Coordinates of all heavy atoms in Angstrom, one line a residue:
V42 N 53.8 109.0 136.8 CA 54.8 108.3 136.0 C 55.6 107.4 136.9 O 55.9 106.2 136.5 CB 55.7 109.3 135.2 CG1 56.9 108.6 134.5 CG2 54.9 110.1 134.2
K70 N 57.1 107.7 148.6 CA 57.6 106.6 149.5 C 56.5 105.6 149.8 O 56.8 104.5 150.2 CB 58.3 107.2 150.7 CG 59.5 108.1 150.4 CD 60.0 108.8 151.6 CE 61.0 109.9 151.2 NZ 61.4 110.7 152.4
L72 N 54.2 104.6 147.6 CA 53.8 103.9 146.4 C 54.2 102.4 146.5 O 55.3 102.1 147.1 CB 54.5 104.5 145.2 CG 54.0 105.9 144.8 CD1 54.8 106.4 143.7 CD2 52.5 105.9 144.5
L79 N 62.6 102.4 144.5 CA 62.6 103.9 144.2 C 63.7 104.5 145.0 O 63.8 104.3 146.3 CB 61.3 104.5 144.6 CG 61.2 106.0 144.6 CD1 61.4 106.6 143.1 CD2 59.9 106.6 145.2
K83 N 68.7 114.0 145.7 CA 68.7 115.5 145.8 C 69.3 116.1 144.6 O 70.5 115.9 144.3 CB 69.4 115.9 147.1 CG 69.5 117.5 147.3 CD 70.2 117.8 148.6 CE 70.4 119.3 148.7 NZ 69.2 120.1 148.7
A84 N 68.6 116.7 143.7 CA 69.1 117.3 142.5 C 68.3 118.5 142.1 O 67.2 118.7 142.4 CB 69.0 116.2 141.4
G112 N 50.8 132.1 139.1 CA 50.5 133.5 139.0 C 51.7 134.3 138.4 O 52.6 133.7 137.9
I251 N 36.3 130.1 125.9 CA 37.3 129.5 124.9 C 37.3 128.0 125.0 O 36.7 127.4 126.0 CB 38.7 130.0 125.2 CG1 39.2 129.5 126.6 CG2 38.8 131.5 125.1 CD1 40.7 129.7 126.8
R259 N 46.4 110.4 134.5 CA 46.8 108.9 134.3 C 47.0 108.6 132.8 O 47.9 107.8 132.5 CB 45.7 108.1 134.9 CG 45.6 108.2 136.4 CD 44.2 107.8 137.0 NE 43.2 108.7 136.6 CZ 41.9 108.6 137.0 NH1 41.6 107.6 137.9 NH2 41.0 109.4 136.6
L348 N 37.8 120.9 149.2 CA 36.4 121.3 148.9 C 35.6 121.1 150.2 O 35.6 120.0 150.8 CB 35.8 120.4 147.8 CG 36.0 120.8 146.4 CD1 35.4 119.8 145.4 CD2 35.3 122.2 146.1

Side-chain angles (χ1 to χ4, degrees):
V42 172
K70 298 169 189 176
L72 295 173
L79 174 64
K83 179 178 171 61
I251 66 166
R259 295 159 291 187
L348 269 178

